[in-house]
Amino acid sequence: MKSLPKAAIVILIVSIAAIVVGCVLALNSGANPTRIENTLVVEPAKKYFPGLEIVNLKGETPEQLKKYTGFTVSFNKENHTPNYVAWELLAQEITDDAERSNRFWQDPEIEGCAAHSDYTHSGYDRGHMCPAADQKWSWEAMQDCFVMANMCPQDHSLNAGAWNTLENKERQWALRDSAIMIVAGPVYQPSDTKRIGDIGVRVPSAFFKAFLAPYLEEPRAIAFVYPNMSAPGNMQDYAMSIDDLEELLGFDLFAALPDEIENVVEANYSFKEWNRR
């Protein structure tokens, strides 16, 4: 075999060195996550925590899990509403422009899924847990977002008021932090016995929404609980820690986080830090 000329060897060594340096810089650059075919990809993979959309439920809570395009639903066939809906919201998804669907549909694969008609003339909105404006990045995601498994009976004054304000905030936070994890759902108390529609959709007394920014140098989390009615006052009046929310729900959120991160972010919250620009 002929030996390579010295010039070729030098060029080869330089090329390999450049590739190595590039990889090292990429691994430490903290570039934003992205999504390819509905799969979150961290570019570069500085840190990534798979499974954050899965919540550990209490005891014998009925649950049927289904992954839709862009979000995951844990459905409760007895309440005919989700236990929770979870999704990752990325900064680049905020500016996409898939047209709003407005076509509510019943999923035959979900046991106990309500129909559009179960909410008609009930006095309650078909309240999205995962909002349509978070799913503008994909036509399929937008269509899926209107599945009735993603809906809860929500007082219009809340849906169009404080809940809508919180939805607008979450998109601002995703733009700022590049990626946030969101979990939302109804809060039921034993006294919540009111039901609507032929199927008997249970009306919750409150709603929760939990946020996690896992890819920051110092990850942070916060939760909000709103009564299912007009919610006057400031957002911070409804804020709490993830630990407090978990105590209220009996659920374990963000269990996929390493314990050393989970224990800190779930015990503490700062509305001021979340609300800064």
Side-chain angles (χ1 to χ4, degrees):
M1 179 185 297
K2 293 183 179 180
S3 59
L4 291 172
K6 289 184 179 180
I9 294 175
V10 170
I11 292 173
L12 180 62
I13 293 173
V14 171
S15 299
I16 293 173
I19 292 171
V20 172
V21 170
C23 291
V24 171
L25 289 175
L27 288 172
N28 290 280
S29 66
N32 293 344
T34 188
R35 195 185 302 277
I36 299 176
E37 295 183 351
N38 199 34
T39 301
L40 182 70
V41 179
V42 179
E43 296 179 344
K46 186 177 182 181
K47 53 184 175 182
Y48 175 49
F49 308 113
L52 287 175
E53 76 280 7
I54 302 302
V55 174
N56 294 330
L57 304 182
K58 60 184 176 183
E60 300 178 356
T61 303
E63 178 181 44
Q64 180 182 350
L65 273 176
K66 182 170 180 178
K67 287 183 177 293
Y68 293 92
T69 305
F71 62 97
T72 297
V73 170
S74 165
F75 196 80
N76 188 315
K77 64 181 180 181
E78 294 181 0
N79 295 333
H80 307 290
T81 61
N83 295 309
Y84 68 84
V85 179
W87 65 103
E88 187 107 34
L89 185 59
L90 308 182
Q92 67 265 33
E93 295 172 347
I94 306 302
T95 55
D96 288 339
D97 57 0
E99 185 177 350
R100 183 179 172 92
S101 170
N102 286 327
R103 188 183 69 84
F104 294 91
W105 59 283
Q106 184 181 30
D107 189 345
E109 296 182 354
I110 296 291
E111 184 179 1
C113 184
H116 179 277
S117 59
D118 286 309
Y119 285 69
T120 303
H121 305 306
S122 68
Y124 292 93
D125 288 358
R126 299 167 185 85
H128 287 74
M129 295 299 96
C130 176
D134 285 11
Q135 300 297 319
K136 295 190 299 181
W137 58 276
S138 159
W139 183 89
E140 290 83 4
M142 179 62 71
Q143 304 306 307
D144 278 3
C145 192
F146 281 82
V147 66
M148 292 301 297
N150 183 39
M151 307 298 154
C152 286
Q154 198 165 51
D155 186 279
H156 178 72
S157 61
L158 175 65
N159 190 22
W163 194 254
N164 181 63
T165 298
L166 186 58
E167 290 175 344
N168 289 330
K169 280 290 184 182
E170 71 197 36
R171 290 184 280 276
Q172 295 175 20
W173 295 340
L175 282 170
R176 182 192 63 201
D177 295 341
S178 76
I180 57 174
M181 191 71 201
I182 308 172
V183 184
V187 179
Y188 287 107
Q189 300 296 333
S191 58
D192 295 337
T193 58
K194 184 175 182 179
R195 293 180 180 266
I196 61 171
D198 293 338
I199 203 171
V201 183
R202 190 180 178 193
V203 179
S205 55
F207 291 92
F208 76 88
K209 187 167 278 193
F211 299 91
L212 171 68
Y215 305 123
L216 302 179
E217 288 299 324
E218 295 184 6
R220 60 172 175 260
I222 194 170
F224 296 85
V225 173
Y226 286 95
N228 195 8
M229 61 181 70
S230 178
N234 298 317
M235 286 179 62
Q236 58 263 40
D237 298 336
Y238 303 92
M240 63 178 66
S241 69
I242 303 297
D243 279 347
D244 288 341
L245 176 63
E246 290 177 333
E247 184 175 354
L248 174 66
L249 299 174
F251 298 169
D252 182 10
L253 283 74
F254 308 132
L257 284 173
D259 287 344
E260 64 271 16
I261 298 177
E262 182 183 9
N263 293 338
V264 174
V265 300
E266 293 192 354
N268 304 282
Y269 76 97
S270 169
F271 178 80
K272 181 179 179 180
E273 183 66 18
W274 271 94
N275 204 41
R276 68 173 177 80
R277 294 190 179 275

PDB file of all heavy atoms in Angstrom, residues 169 172-173 176-177 216 220 270-277:
ATOM      1  N   LYS A 169     -49.902  33.517  28.164  1.00  0.00           N
ATOM      2  CA  LYS A 169     -48.643  33.582  28.906  1.00  0.00           C
ATOM      3  C   LYS A 169     -47.748  32.389  28.574  1.00  0.00           C
ATOM      4  O   LYS A 169     -46.530  32.535  28.429  1.00  0.00           O
ATOM      5  CB  LYS A 169     -48.919  33.628  30.415  1.00  0.00           C
ATOM      6  CG  LYS A 169     -49.299  34.991  30.936  1.00  0.00           C
ATOM      7  CD  LYS A 169     -48.110  35.951  30.901  1.00  0.00           C
ATOM      8  CE  LYS A 169     -48.455  37.286  31.521  1.00  0.00           C
ATOM      9  NZ  LYS A 169     -47.314  38.229  31.447  1.00  0.00           N
ATOM     10  N   GLN A 172     -45.755  32.924  25.536  1.00  0.00           N
ATOM     11  CA  GLN A 172     -44.661  33.864  25.787  1.00  0.00           C
ATOM     12  C   GLN A 172     -43.506  33.174  26.498  1.00  0.00           C
ATOM     13  O   GLN A 172     -42.334  33.396  26.195  1.00  0.00           O
ATOM     14  CB  GLN A 172     -45.162  35.044  26.623  1.00  0.00           C
ATOM     15  CG  GLN A 172     -46.189  35.917  25.928  1.00  0.00           C
ATOM     16  CD  GLN A 172     -46.746  36.993  26.845  1.00  0.00           C
ATOM     17  OE1 GLN A 172     -46.144  37.341  27.871  1.00  0.00           O
ATOM     18  NE2 GLN A 172     -47.911  37.521  26.512  1.00  0.00           N
ATOM     19  N   TRP A 173     -43.835  32.327  27.459  1.00  0.00           N
ATOM     20  CA  TRP A 173     -42.799  31.619  28.219  1.00  0.00           C
ATOM     21  C   TRP A 173     -42.052  30.620  27.347  1.00  0.00           C
ATOM     22  O   TRP A 173     -40.834  30.459  27.500  1.00  0.00           O
ATOM     23  CB  TRP A 173     -43.430  30.921  29.419  1.00  0.00           C
ATOM     24  CG  TRP A 173     -44.017  31.869  30.424  1.00  0.00           C
ATOM     25  CD1 TRP A 173     -43.721  33.200  30.561  1.00  0.00           C
ATOM     26  CD2 TRP A 173     -45.006  31.588  31.412  1.00  0.00           C
ATOM     27  NE1 TRP A 173     -44.456  33.755  31.579  1.00  0.00           N
ATOM     28  CE2 TRP A 173     -45.265  32.789  32.120  1.00  0.00           C
ATOM     29  CE3 TRP A 173     -45.715  30.440  31.767  1.00  0.00           C
ATOM     30  CZ2 TRP A 173     -46.181  32.865  33.170  1.00  0.00           C
ATOM     31  CZ3 TRP A 173     -46.636  30.513  32.821  1.00  0.00           C
ATOM     32  CH2 TRP A 173     -46.861  31.711  33.515  1.00  0.00           C
ATOM     33  N   ARG A 176     -39.564  32.508  25.279  1.00  0.00           N
ATOM     34  CA  ARG A 176     -38.445  32.979  26.085  1.00  0.00           C
ATOM     35  C   ARG A 176     -37.495  31.853  26.483  1.00  0.00           C
ATOM     36  O   ARG A 176     -36.267  32.005  26.424  1.00  0.00           O
ATOM     37  CB  ARG A 176     -38.981  33.666  27.338  1.00  0.00           C
ATOM     38  CG  ARG A 176     -37.903  34.249  28.256  1.00  0.00           C
ATOM     39  CD  ARG A 176     -38.514  34.639  29.600  1.00  0.00           C
ATOM     40  NE  ARG A 176     -39.048  33.467  30.283  1.00  0.00           N
ATOM     41  CZ  ARG A 176     -39.973  33.525  31.260  1.00  0.00           C
ATOM     42  NH1 ARG A 176     -40.456  34.691  31.634  1.00  0.00           N
ATOM     43  NH2 ARG A 176     -40.404  32.417  31.839  1.00  0.00           N
ATOM     44  N   ASP A 177     -38.069  30.703  26.885  1.00  0.00           N
ATOM     45  CA  ASP A 177     -37.261  29.617  27.457  1.00  0.00           C
ATOM     46  C   ASP A 177     -36.925  28.523  26.453  1.00  0.00           C
ATOM     47  O   ASP A 177     -36.253  27.560  26.811  1.00  0.00           O
ATOM     48  CB  ASP A 177     -37.994  29.000  28.649  1.00  0.00           C
ATOM     49  CG  ASP A 177     -38.145  29.985  29.807  1.00  0.00           C
ATOM     50  OD1 ASP A 177     -37.387  30.977  29.840  1.00  0.00           O
ATOM     51  OD2 ASP A 177     -39.013  29.762  30.670  1.00  0.00           O
ATOM     52  N   LEU A 216     -33.348  24.846  31.094  1.00  0.00           N
ATOM     53  CA  LEU A 216     -32.584  26.002  31.535  1.00  0.00           C
ATOM     54  C   LEU A 216     -31.387  25.558  32.377  1.00  0.00           C
ATOM     55  O   LEU A 216     -31.353  24.436  32.890  1.00  0.00           O
ATOM     56  CB  LEU A 216     -33.472  26.934  32.368  1.00  0.00           C
ATOM     57  CG  LEU A 216     -34.740  27.468  31.684  1.00  0.00           C
ATOM     58  CD1 LEU A 216     -35.514  28.361  32.651  1.00  0.00           C
ATOM     59  CD2 LEU A 216     -34.393  28.230  30.415  1.00  0.00           C
ATOM     60  N   ARG A 220     -36.927  25.338  36.323  1.00  0.00           N
ATOM     61  CA  ARG A 220     -37.907  25.874  37.256  1.00  0.00           C
ATOM     62  C   ARG A 220     -39.293  25.371  36.897  1.00  0.00           C
ATOM     63  O   ARG A 220     -39.529  24.924  35.765  1.00  0.00           O
ATOM     64  CB  ARG A 220     -37.885  27.402  37.266  1.00  0.00           C
ATOM     65  CG  ARG A 220     -38.180  28.059  35.928  1.00  0.00           C
ATOM     66  CD  ARG A 220     -38.339  29.569  36.069  1.00  0.00           C
ATOM     67  NE  ARG A 220     -38.517  30.213  34.770  1.00  0.00           N
ATOM     68  CZ  ARG A 220     -37.550  30.828  34.112  1.00  0.00           C
ATOM     69  NH1 ARG A 220     -36.337  30.887  34.632  1.00  0.00           N
ATOM     70  NH2 ARG A 220     -37.802  31.382  32.943  1.00  0.00           N
ATOM     71  N   SER A 270     -41.424  30.752  41.806  1.00  0.00           N
ATOM     72  CA  SER A 270     -41.337  32.207  41.852  1.00  0.00           C
ATOM     73  C   SER A 270     -42.162  32.768  40.707  1.00  0.00           C
ATOM     74  O   SER A 270     -41.766  32.653  39.537  1.00  0.00           O
ATOM     75  CB  SER A 270     -39.893  32.681  41.730  1.00  0.00           C
ATOM     76  OG  SER A 270     -39.845  34.089  41.526  1.00  0.00           O
ATOM     77  N   PHE A 271     -43.310  33.322  41.005  1.00  0.00           N
ATOM     78  CA  PHE A 271     -44.133  33.933  39.963  1.00  0.00           C
ATOM     79  C   PHE A 271     -43.364  35.069  39.287  1.00  0.00           C
ATOM     80  O   PHE A 271     -43.445  35.241  38.065  1.00  0.00           O
ATOM     81  CB  PHE A 271     -45.449  34.438  40.529  1.00  0.00           C
ATOM     82  CG  PHE A 271     -46.306  35.106  39.494  1.00  0.00           C
ATOM     83  CD1 PHE A 271     -47.059  34.357  38.611  1.00  0.00           C
ATOM     84  CD2 PHE A 271     -46.339  36.495  39.382  1.00  0.00           C
ATOM     85  CE1 PHE A 271     -47.843  34.972  37.630  1.00  0.00           C
ATOM     86  CE2 PHE A 271     -47.122  37.121  38.411  1.00  0.00           C
ATOM     87  CZ  PHE A 271     -47.869  36.356  37.536  1.00  0.00           C
ATOM     88  N   LYS A 272     -42.630  35.832  40.067  1.00  0.00           N
ATOM     89  CA  LYS A 272     -41.867  36.942  39.513  1.00  0.00           C
ATOM     90  C   LYS A 272     -40.873  36.454  38.465  1.00  0.00           C
ATOM     91  O   LYS A 272     -40.720  37.064  37.398  1.00  0.00           O
ATOM     92  CB  LYS A 272     -41.138  37.686  40.636  1.00  0.00           C
ATOM     93  CG  LYS A 272     -40.322  38.883  40.147  1.00  0.00           C
ATOM     94  CD  LYS A 272     -39.644  39.592  41.311  1.00  0.00           C
ATOM     95  CE  LYS A 272     -38.818  40.762  40.830  1.00  0.00           C
ATOM     96  NZ  LYS A 272     -38.139  41.461  41.957  1.00  0.00           N
ATOM     97  N   GLU A 273     -40.197  35.345  38.736  1.00  0.00           N
ATOM     98  CA  GLU A 273     -39.225  34.813  37.796  1.00  0.00           C
ATOM     99  C   GLU A 273     -39.900  34.283  36.537  1.00  0.00           C
ATOM    100  O   GLU A 273     -39.416  34.487  35.424  1.00  0.00           O
ATOM    101  CB  GLU A 273     -38.406  33.679  38.469  1.00  0.00           C
ATOM    102  CG  GLU A 273     -37.308  33.094  37.604  1.00  0.00           C
ATOM    103  CD  GLU A 273     -36.186  34.063  37.297  1.00  0.00           C
ATOM    104  OE1 GLU A 273     -36.060  35.080  38.004  1.00  0.00           O
ATOM    105  OE2 GLU A 273     -35.437  33.801  36.347  1.00  0.00           O
ATOM    106  N   TRP A 274     -41.051  33.637  36.691  1.00  0.00           N
ATOM    107  CA  TRP A 274     -41.775  33.123  35.529  1.00  0.00           C
ATOM    108  C   TRP A 274     -42.344  34.264  34.694  1.00  0.00           C
ATOM    109  O   TRP A 274     -42.417  34.178  33.478  1.00  0.00           O
ATOM    110  CB  TRP A 274     -42.913  32.203  35.970  1.00  0.00           C
ATOM    111  CG  TRP A 274     -42.461  30.781  36.111  1.00  0.00           C
ATOM    112  CD1 TRP A 274     -42.022  30.159  37.252  1.00  0.00           C
ATOM    113  CD2 TRP A 274     -42.363  29.815  35.074  1.00  0.00           C
ATOM    114  NE1 TRP A 274     -41.669  28.868  36.986  1.00  0.00           N
ATOM    115  CE2 TRP A 274     -41.873  28.620  35.656  1.00  0.00           C
ATOM    116  CE3 TRP A 274     -42.644  29.821  33.707  1.00  0.00           C
ATOM    117  CZ2 TRP A 274     -41.659  27.455  34.915  1.00  0.00           C
ATOM    118  CZ3 TRP A 274     -42.431  28.670  32.960  1.00  0.00           C
ATOM    119  CH2 TRP A 274     -41.942  27.503  33.569  1.00  0.00           C
ATOM    120  N   ASN A 275     -42.755  35.340  35.342  1.00  0.00           N
ATOM    121  CA  ASN A 275     -43.462  36.389  34.632  1.00  0.00           C
ATOM    122  C   ASN A 275     -42.547  37.457  34.040  1.00  0.00           C
ATOM    123  O   ASN A 275     -43.026  38.380  33.372  1.00  0.00           O
ATOM    124  CB  ASN A 275     -44.477  37.067  35.573  1.00  0.00           C
ATOM    125  CG  ASN A 275     -45.608  37.721  34.807  1.00  0.00           C
ATOM    126  OD1 ASN A 275     -46.111  37.169  33.832  1.00  0.00           O
ATOM    127  ND2 ASN A 275     -46.010  38.893  35.256  1.00  0.00           N
ATOM    128  N   ARG A 276     -41.255  37.353  34.281  1.00  0.00           N
ATOM    129  CA  ARG A 276     -40.344  38.335  33.705  1.00  0.00           C
ATOM    130  C   ARG A 276     -40.274  38.148  32.203  1.00  0.00           C
ATOM    131  O   ARG A 276     -40.527  37.068  31.674  1.00  0.00           O
ATOM    132  CB  ARG A 276     -38.941  38.184  34.320  1.00  0.00           C
ATOM    133  CG  ARG A 276     -38.239  36.902  33.939  1.00  0.00           C
ATOM    134  CD  ARG A 276     -36.814  36.861  34.413  1.00  0.00           C
ATOM    135  NE  ARG A 276     -36.190  35.575  34.095  1.00  0.00           N
ATOM    136  CZ  ARG A 276     -35.712  35.265  32.903  1.00  0.00           C
ATOM    137  NH1 ARG A 276     -35.776  36.138  31.909  1.00  0.00           N
ATOM    138  NH2 ARG A 276     -35.166  34.086  32.686  1.00  0.00           N
ATOM    139  N   ARG A 277     -39.891  39.201  31.501  1.00  0.00           N
ATOM    140  CA  ARG A 277     -39.780  39.127  30.035  1.00  0.00           C
ATOM    141  C   ARG A 277     -38.400  38.660  29.617  1.00  0.00           C
ATOM    142  O   ARG A 277     -37.443  38.837  30.319  1.00  0.00           O
ATOM    143  CB  ARG A 277     -40.083  40.506  29.424  1.00  0.00           C
ATOM    144  CG  ARG A 277     -41.523  40.926  29.643  1.00  0.00           C
ATOM    145  CD  ARG A 277     -41.853  42.161  28.822  1.00  0.00           C
ATOM    146  NE  ARG A 277     -43.235  42.560  29.006  1.00  0.00           N
ATOM    147  CZ  ARG A 277     -44.262  42.052  28.331  1.00  0.00           C
ATOM    148  NH1 ARG A 277     -44.022  41.141  27.403  1.00  0.00           N
ATOM    149  NH2 ARG A 277     -45.490  42.448  28.552  1.00  0.00           N
TER     150      ARG A 277
END
